[in-house]
Amino acid sequence: MNKILSFIKPIAGLLAVGALIYFFPDIFMYFAIAIILSMLGRPLCERLKKLQIKRFHLGDSVSAVLTMVVMFLIVSLIFLFIIPLVNREIAILSNIDTDAIVDYFEKPIEKIYNFLIQYNIIRPEEDLLKMTEEKLYALVNWDNFSSIIGGLISKTSSLVVGLFSTIFLTFFLLKDQDIVHNIFMAITPDSYTLQMNNIIRDSRVMLTRYMFGLIAELLCMMILIFIGLSIFGVNNALIIAVIGGFMNIIPYLGPLMGGAIGVVIGIISNLGIGAFAMILPNTLEIIGVFIAANAVDNFVLQPTIYSKSVFAHPIEIFLVILMAGNIGGVVGMIIAIPSYTLIRIIAKQLLSEFKFIELLTKNLKP
């Protein structure tokens, strides 16, 4: 009977987890985010628990609350820093003089129009200037942004539920740091207790190290981009740097997306102040800064972070990210490295007798 139960228990546990993910993906997402936040807050929470003021010790609950207050203050400061930048861009966008833009670019558009007609790309009866003007009005039309804001407001209720759920789960994960450990141990056969303990311990250490390394990478990229754009005197260098640096959370595609967004912001900024002649030079400067910053990221930052946090070779990481991208798109690329790290840790504990697994995990030393 004990053997049967030891066989059924892990299967039942895995089925339960699979059912939770399939039927309640939102709950699983809240739990996953809470685990990440608790891992980021764990070092501070543990220090607070050890803090002693005369004979007074902070309890688990107080330490968890103080940790969440600090995390909330950090997030609030970030939003207070970003919101004025966004408001400034919206103000610039709403003040763009589309008539002045059309007048300035009328001759270049006419040349492009004649070129397109000459090579039969468009028909002579099509008015390229009018088409461009309509597209431009549509681009800077405030009604489009109003509809976007309306769509965001309609989702406010679900966001509030998600935020409350995440905060609630994060508090208890910080207060009782053995919850996740106990859940996994409950579905682990007795014969694999030691291996599961090692898997949980190593995963906690390496994933925490990776997340802090990733945050450091994003901050470094923001600083590099900001310095580069400031040297060239690009308008709104700060918001371009913040967005461009944050987009690096998506491996390989992130810098391209960040650079494209940066170019758009640069163009809008120049259109807003009527500096039409600066559009092309600023665009080239922004692209050049992003290329240089991405080179530093690829050859310095990422190899350092991956070698010290997940102990994986850059080529190994590159292949994993490509495969994850083919399977799960952008989301797959974002979770590729932590997922691969978990797989390696599990394989080391359970499949180390295979030569391939031994070779793949030989540098895995949390």
Side-chain angles (χ1 to χ4, degrees):
M1 178 62 74
N2 290 334
K3 290 184 178 180
I4 295 175
L5 288 176
S6 65
F7 178 75
I8 293 176
K9 184 167 67 170
I11 296 177
L14 291 174
L15 289 175
V17 173
L20 174 64
I21 297 173
Y22 182 79
F23 291 106
F24 306 102
D26 291 343
I27 295 177
F28 174 76
M29 183 178 66
Y30 302 152
F31 194 72
I33 295 174
I35 290 176
I36 294 173
L37 293 176
S38 66
M39 292 174 70
L40 292 174
R42 188 183 304 276
L44 175 60
C45 190
E46 290 179 349
R47 286 182 177 272
L48 290 174
K49 288 180 182 179
K50 296 177 182 178
L51 185 64
Q52 181 178 355
I53 304 175
K54 294 183 179 181
R55 296 183 180 180
F56 177 74
H57 286 271
L58 296 179
D60 293 341
S61 298
V62 176
S63 299
V65 170
L66 290 177
T67 301
M68 294 190 66
V69 168
V70 171
M71 296 173 70
F72 175 77
L73 289 175
I74 293 173
V75 173
S76 299
L77 289 174
I78 293 173
F79 274 101
L80 289 174
F81 174 74
I82 292 176
I83 288 175
L85 300 178
V86 175
N87 288 337
R88 181 182 174 185
E89 285 300 311
I90 293 175
I92 292 174
L93 187 64
S94 62
N95 292 326
I96 289 178
D97 187 351
T98 52
D99 293 330
I101 297 172
V102 172
D103 291 339
Y104 183 85
F105 289 102
E106 183 174 0
K107 290 184 178 180
I109 291 174
E110 185 178 350
K111 292 181 181 179
I112 295 173
Y113 175 67
N114 294 330
F115 174 82
L116 295 177
I117 291 177
Q118 181 181 354
Y119 290 94
N120 297 320
I121 298 176
I122 64 172
R123 294 187 298 272
E125 63 270 15
E126 293 179 324
D127 190 340
L128 183 61
L129 183 61
K130 185 177 180 180
M131 291 168 54
T132 305
E133 186 175 354
E134 290 175 353
K135 294 292 184 182
L136 185 61
Y137 273 112
L139 177 64
V140 300
N141 190 353
W142 180 251
D143 293 337
N144 293 337
F145 291 91
S146 300
S147 63
I148 293 173
I149 293 173
L152 292 175
I153 293 175
S154 66
K155 296 182 179 180
T156 300
S157 59
S158 60
L159 290 174
V160 170
V161 172
L163 182 63
F164 174 79
S165 302
T166 303
I167 292 173
F168 180 83
L169 291 170
T170 303
F171 168 75
F172 281 99
L173 289 174
L174 286 171
K175 177 178 177 293
D176 186 359
Q177 299 179 1
D178 293 327
I179 291 178
V180 176
H181 179 273
N182 294 334
I183 291 174
F184 281 103
M185 294 306 298
I187 63 174
T188 301
D190 296 336
S191 57
Y192 289 96
T193 301
L194 178 61
Q195 289 90 333
M196 181 56 71
N197 274 320
N198 292 336
I199 289 172
I200 295 173
R201 181 201 64 210
D202 294 349
S203 299
R204 180 180 296 171
V205 171
M206 294 192 67
L207 291 179
T208 301
R209 189 183 298 163
Y210 168 73
M211 284 187 288
F212 278 107
L214 180 62
I215 292 173
E217 179 196 6
L218 300 184
L219 290 175
C220 288
M221 287 298 292
M222 291 179 189
I223 294 171
L224 287 173
I225 295 171
F226 176 71
I227 292 174
L229 295 178
S230 298
I231 291 173
F232 288 107
V234 175
N235 293 323
N236 293 314
L238 189 55
I239 190 171
I240 294 174
V242 170
I243 296 174
F246 182 76
M247 291 303 293
N248 268 57
I249 198 172
I250 306 173
Y252 303 115
L253 286 180
L256 296 176
M257 297 169 65
I261 295 172
V263 168
V264 171
I265 293 174
I267 291 174
I268 290 174
S269 300
N270 285 314
L271 291 177
I273 61 176
F276 305 135
M278 293 300 299
I279 291 177
L280 181 58
N282 279 172
T283 298
L284 296 177
E285 290 163 356
I286 292 171
I287 293 173
V289 168
F290 270 86
I291 291 174
N294 190 46
V296 174
D297 185 40
N298 288 336
F299 294 107
V300 179
L301 298 179
Q302 288 189 13
T304 302
I305 291 171
Y306 297 152
S307 62
K308 291 186 178 181
S309 61
V310 299
F311 301 99
H313 194 278
I315 294 178
E316 188 179 347
I317 292 296
F318 177 74
L319 294 175
V320 168
I321 291 174
L322 286 183
M323 290 186 286
N326 287 330
I327 296 173
V330 172
V331 176
M333 297 178 77
I334 293 174
I335 66 173
I337 299 174
S339 300
Y340 179 61
T341 301
L342 286 175
I343 293 172
R344 291 173 71 212
I345 292 172
I346 295 171
K348 181 179 181 180
Q349 294 296 327
L350 302 180
L351 303 171
S352 58
E353 65 272 13
F354 293 97
K355 187 175 181 179
F356 174 74
I357 299 298
E358 182 182 0
L359 180 65
L360 195 65
T361 60
K362 65 178 182 179
N363 295 324
L364 202 59
K365 299 175 183 178

